[in-house]
Amino acid sequence: MTTSESDLEAARDEAAGLTSRILELRDQYYEGNGSTVSDAEYDAMVRRLDEIEREHPELQKPDSPTQTVGGRAETTQFAPVEHAERMLSLDNVFSFDELAEWAGKVERDAGAERVRFLTELKIDGLAINLRYENGVLVTAATRGDGVVGEDVTGNVLTMGTIPDRLKGEGHPPLVEVRGEIFFPVAEFDALNAAQAAAGERLFANPRNAAAGSLRQKEEGKSPERLALMTKRLRGLRMLVHGIGAWPVPELEASTGVTSQSDIYGLLETWGLPISTHFRVFETVEEVDAFITRYGEQRSSVEHQIDGIVIKVDDLGLHEELGSTSRAPRWATAFKYSPEEVNTKLLDIVVSVGRTGRATPFAVMQKVEVAGSEVRQATLHNQQVVKAKGVLIGDTVVLRKAGDVIPEVLGPVIELRDGTEREFVMPEDCPECGTRLAPAKEGDIDLRCPNAKSCPAQVRGRVEHIASRGSLDIEGLGEVAAAALTQPLEPAEPPLATEAGLFDLTMDDILPIRVVVRDSETGLEKLDGDRPKVMTPFRVSKTREDGSPVPSKRAEVLLENLEKAKTSPLWRILVGLSIRHVGPVAARALADYFGSLDAIRAASRDELAAVDGVGGIIADALLDWFEVDWHREIIDRWTAAGVQFSTPGHPGPGAAEAAGGVLAGLTVVATGSLEGFSREGAQEAILLAGGKAGNSVSKKTDFVAAGPGAGSKLTKAETLGVRIIDAAQFAILVKDGPDALDAPSAGDEAAPI
């Protein structure tokens, strides 16, 4: 066999294997409403098969997955419906270079005509085809294989948002409206909460939930399950994005519509829901900018998206450019890097935080998702672990949308091999051995009640004290906090509680040893059969007298502890870990009272009357001061020189009217604002005399939004609250709102 024959045979074998696997995954996706691999893995298989077929055209067959639309025509669950016009899929591009290449081909084939690009969000949902005859809905069908789909008309009508009769007059004898059915993210979260409450299995993602909900049948269901089915269908939404079975010449002649964007206007007048997230651009560079913007702000959209669809806007060019056997040449989809991936669940470990809450964490094989590496994700509590149905050893679906915390969605059950095991919640605190219990009757969460001396809780509070939102102590990070609070025989830790933090000396910290943990799993590393330890505050060298040499970390820590003693009062209040007292409430208390003594002397009514405090925080303050070891913290910090008052403060209430450029204004900061940390943005608002809001309402004056902005941004748009970007936010907190409208301040941020 020659080299070329050998290469062809290898390509044939690889293509056959890929084809078989892709078709198997298509069945899972379209017929079983799920998949054993991530979208990224599936896309990679299809791209590889396409590469092989391009290199060896003789291997390409008419029924290849690269030439056909996903899904099967045959169905036993629902009646088959033949589409009046074939439903195509979309080809994909994965980089700006590939997009530019596609646009170049389109412009070349269009000849002298100017090409305008309609650009819109690619909804991660279920394709649907609505057939209207003389304005009346006849059938609603899934895509199927593009020629024949499944009749889901009854379920679509149950949704309550799709008209059974179009508005207006003069409708064509036959038109097919194409769109996407999906669960909004908020509805999906509510659905899974309801599933958990009912003891039902949770859905892995909104797409699977939409497909599973739409393809339900009433037969054989109890009244309770019928009610749940109806509730799920009522949560579904649809956005339409095109039409079929209405020839372009007839469409143009009867309506005057000549572009895809005009079609959206027509569909809206018919009473059909269209997306507001689309734009028409003159150049591919403008399309690039749109793609980049939404790539950074995917979590701000009400529904999940997995890319951007780019269409030639001119309908006449649609006819001219034509299509392949599976996709139009006048449209493509830019696919984003995945926000959902599959990875291995290695273990479930329980972590105790500074409030005593015992939280199960998933420890996973390292995987990249949404642009960052992820190894761990919270599982919240033992009931969530049970509801998600995950076993240790499972392959799981992991989601991370933008800046959102990673979440394990559920297991890929089809990949289980019998070695998986169930997670068992420990009865005792893994750090101090105290019996775990709910804080009050009916609580789901278990907590360690040993608040004073549980090493995990002390460590968490010490880390909190050093955080940017509190005293911002450099050198007191996770490792240092663990070293200071971890009992490692035969020595006791320097800090039994945080009361001794400001008493620390070099002699206290030099002997400290700490257990080394694996960066991949967070578990203890072993040296033989014993935990591996390190000495973080000294180097390996010794002085002439044999004493250890301090590390730079030790010197920095002690220097910054000394500086922290004169931190602003509000920061010190945050550092005390009083329940509900975050930076906003702490700033309000510090500004009004001026000293800790004045706060302790105030009555509940006086505390609650302070703007930004209220009754819940007032009660939390009074409860905190009643605990003897809390009072010990104040006494020892005071003796060590910590400043519990604001120098020059005139007394309770007197500084309330001090003002500032944002006096009387409420500003909400959301997303990543360049030049500001999350805490820094809040502090900047407060320092300017404004109120740093945590939620958006009609009383909000400005919303500063950056990449990763979520529901707050959406609500601001709905309420008409002014939205500004990071550069404008910097101007706002420095010079006030009038400066935003000055010519030098630049234009208002573009709508997101």
Side-chain angles (χ1 to χ4, degrees):
M1 184 180 291
T2 65
T3 302
S4 59
E5 290 173 335
S6 176
D7 290 344
L8 178 60
E9 193 62 30
R12 191 189 310 277
D13 290 344
E14 185 179 1
L18 285 168
T19 298
S20 175
R21 181 62 172 147
I22 291 167
L23 292 176
E24 177 187 355
L25 293 170
R26 277 188 177 182
D27 278 351
Q28 291 176 6
Y29 189 81
Y30 290 104
E31 308 304 321
N33 309 322
S35 178
T36 54
V37 302
S38 66
D39 285 353
E41 291 175 83
Y42 177 83
D43 288 340
M45 292 181 202
V46 176
R47 281 166 66 83
R48 176 55 185 156
L49 180 58
D50 185 57
E51 288 174 4
I52 294 171
E53 292 176 349
R54 288 175 186 274
E55 293 172 4
H56 305 280
E58 63 270 36
L59 298 181
Q60 188 182 84
K61 299 177 181 178
D63 60 353
S64 168
T66 64
Q67 306 300 306
T68 58
V69 176
R72 290 186 296 177
E74 313 90 47
T75 177
T76 57
Q77 187 176 10
F78 293 89
V81 173
E82 185 173 352
H83 307 309
E85 182 179 296
R86 191 161 48 111
M87 289 184 74
L88 300 176
S89 187
L90 287 174
D91 287 331
N92 298 320
V93 296
F94 295 86
S95 70
F96 292 123
D97 287 342
E98 291 182 5
L99 174 63
E101 182 181 353
W102 171 83
K105 289 179 181 177
V106 166
E107 290 170 337
R108 179 198 66 203
D109 294 343
E113 293 192 52
R114 185 186 67 175
V115 178
R116 302 169 78 230
F117 300 101
L118 183 141
T119 309
E120 62 189 1
L121 308 186
K122 186 176 184 296
I123 303 169
D124 192 9
L126 183 72
I128 199 76
N129 184 53
L130 308 176
R131 180 181 177 124
Y132 286 92
E133 295 181 5
N134 297 309
V136 178
L137 181 66
V138 177
T139 57
T142 61
R143 174 167 26 209
D145 65 354
V147 177
V148 176
E150 295 177 317
D151 187 344
V152 289
T153 309
N155 286 350
V156 165
L157 289 174
T158 302
M159 289 168 54
T161 55
I162 306 301
D164 58 358
R165 184 180 295 273
L166 299 177
K167 291 181 179 179
E169 299 177 351
H171 304 110
L174 170 64
V175 64
E176 290 183 324
V177 177
R178 273 74 189 270
E180 204 82 8
I181 286 182
F182 60 91
F183 267 113
V185 175
E187 292 283 353
F188 171 71
D189 292 339
L191 168 63
N192 262 352
Q195 292 285 112
E200 300 283 343
R201 180 183 168 189
L202 304 191
F203 288 103
N205 52 55
R207 192 270 167 198
N208 288 3
S213 298
L214 192 66
R215 299 173 76 246
Q216 300 174 95
K217 298 204 77 171
E218 294 184 359
E219 288 81 354
K221 284 186 168 59
S222 66
E224 293 77 17
R225 286 191 173 272
L226 280 174
L228 187 60
M229 171 181 166
T230 301
K231 185 175 182 180
R232 283 165 56 179
L233 289 169
R234 290 286 185 181
L236 289 169
R237 296 293 180 270
M238 177 184 179
L239 292 177
V240 299
H241 54 59
I243 59 174
W246 193 4
V248 169
E250 292 181 17
L251 167 64
E252 292 180 341
S254 60
T255 65
V257 165
T258 61
S259 68
Q260 178 73 30
S261 49
D262 288 343
I263 285 178
Y264 286 175
L266 177 65
L267 292 172
E268 189 173 24
T269 65
W270 286 354
L272 290 161
I274 66 167
S275 173
T276 58
H277 299 290
F278 74 88
R279 300 288 186 274
V280 177
F281 297 115
E282 304 287 339
T283 68
V284 73
E285 288 76 20
E286 292 175 307
V287 175
D288 282 356
F290 184 92
I291 290 170
T292 300
R293 188 203 313 172
Y294 274 101
E296 294 171 344
Q297 299 165 1
R298 289 161 75 175
S299 58
S300 70
V301 182
E302 63 272 19
H303 52 73
Q304 282 200 330
I305 62 175
D306 59 358
I308 300 293
V309 175
I310 306 98
K311 303 174 181 175
V312 173
D313 195 37
D314 188 284
L315 294 181
L317 287 178
H318 290 197
E319 296 284 293
E320 186 175 331
L321 294 168
S323 63
T324 67
S325 61
R326 67 175 299 274
R329 292 190 176 92
W330 47 264
T332 193
F334 183 102
K335 295 294 287 288
Y336 288 130
S337 59
E339 290 188 319
E340 289 184 10
V341 297
N342 291 357
T343 188
K344 198 77 170 177
L345 178 61
L346 302 176
D347 200 358
I348 298 177
V349 298
V350 174
S351 171
V352 176
R354 68 185 175 100
T355 64
R357 180 184 175 188
T359 304
F361 272 85
V363 179
M364 297 165 292
Q365 281 183 349
K366 181 176 66 176
V367 64
E368 184 169 328
V369 54
S372 60
E373 289 185 347
V374 176
R375 300 182 181 90
Q376 291 186 332
T378 179
L379 289 168
H380 302 290
N381 57 58
Q382 68 276 16
Q383 289 196 14
V384 170
V385 178
K386 184 177 180 180
K388 288 182 181 290
V390 293
L391 303 177
I392 298 169
D394 267 335
T395 295
V396 295
V397 181
L398 177 71
R399 176 175 66 186
K400 181 178 183 288
D403 292 335
V404 177
I405 297 170
E407 178 187 7
V408 173
L409 297 176
V412 183
I413 294 176
E414 295 81 359
L415 295 181
R416 284 180 176 166
D417 60 11
T419 62
E420 299 80 12
R421 68 185 192 279
E422 189 174 350
F423 165 73
V424 179
M425 188 72 178
E427 295 182 348
D428 300 330
C429 173
E431 299 251 3
C432 70
T434 304
R435 181 58 58 98
L436 298 173
K440 60 180 183 293
E441 188 176 351
D443 279 1
I444 295 174
D445 293 331
L446 298 178
R447 295 179 184 271
C448 171
N450 181 21
K452 177 181 180 180
S453 55
C454 173
Q457 296 183 62
V458 179
R459 178 172 67 248
R461 294 196 298 269
V462 171
E463 281 188 53
H464 173 69
I465 291 167
S467 67
R468 290 184 178 181
S470 185
L471 298 185
D472 195 13
I473 303 173
E474 184 182 352
L476 188 52
E478 182 179 355
V479 173
L484 291 167
T485 58
Q486 184 182 74
L488 204 57
E489 295 180 356
E492 289 295 317
L495 297 181
T497 74
E498 60 269 42
L501 180 63
F502 292 98
D503 296 326
L504 291 173
T505 66
M506 191 66 78
D507 289 340
D508 292 325
I509 66 176
L510 282 184
I512 290 174
R513 299 182 304 154
V514 64
V515 171
V516 180
R517 294 184 178 272
D518 186 277
S519 61
E520 293 284 334
T521 65
L523 302 176
E524 293 181 355
K525 283 189 174 182
L526 297 178
D527 186 0
D529 58 353
R530 299 174 63 86
K532 186 177 181 179
V533 298
M534 63 179 290
T535 52
F537 294 114
R538 67 184 185 190
V539 296
S540 55
K541 298 179 182 178
T542 57
R543 298 188 179 95
E544 291 183 0
D545 62 1
S547 61
V549 177
S551 66
K552 183 65 176 176
R553 185 201 300 256
E555 295 171 352
V556 168
L557 172 60
L558 294 179
E559 288 172 6
N560 286 300
L561 281 172
E562 191 63 32
K563 291 178 184 176
K565 294 177 182 179
T566 55
S567 296
L569 175 59
W570 74 267
R571 287 185 172 275
I572 295 173
L573 290 174
V574 173
L576 291 174
S577 290
I578 303 171
R579 193 177 184 190
H580 305 305
V581 178
V584 175
R587 184 61 182 261
L589 289 163
D591 285 350
Y592 187 90
F593 290 103
S595 70
L596 186 67
D597 286 341
I599 294 171
R600 292 180 70 176
S603 67
R604 182 191 185 278
D605 290 344
E606 289 171 327
L607 291 169
V610 176
D611 185 32
V613 178
I616 292 176
I617 295 176
D619 289 336
L621 284 161
L622 296 174
D623 290 344
W624 193 88
F625 287 120
E626 285 295 314
V627 179
D628 55 359
W629 65 269
H630 291 166
R631 296 193 298 271
E632 181 188 356
I633 294 171
I634 296 171
D635 294 342
R636 291 189 62 181
W637 284 16
T638 301
V642 174
Q643 183 175 280
F644 280 106
S645 62
T646 302
H649 193 283
E656 196 175 34
V661 295
L662 295 183
L665 298 179
T666 299
V667 182
V668 174
T670 181
S672 300
L673 295 171
E674 186 175 354
F676 297 88
S677 64
R678 190 180 301 273
E679 295 82 8
Q682 285 192 329
E683 184 176 356
I685 296 166
L686 295 170
L687 287 173
K691 181 177 179 180
N694 289 318
S695 60
V696 178
S697 70
K698 292 181 179 179
K699 296 182 179 180
T700 304
D701 297 287
F702 294 92
V703 170
S711 58
K712 294 177 184 177
L713 175 61
T714 303
K715 191 168 184 180
E717 291 175 328
T718 303
L719 295 176
V721 176
R722 184 169 179 181
I723 300 166
I724 58 177
D725 60 19
Q728 292 174 304
F729 178 69
I731 294 169
L732 178 69
V733 296
K734 180 177 181 292
D735 299 319
D738 292 343
L740 290 178
D741 300 315
S744 60
D747 296 328
E748 186 173 347
I752 295 176

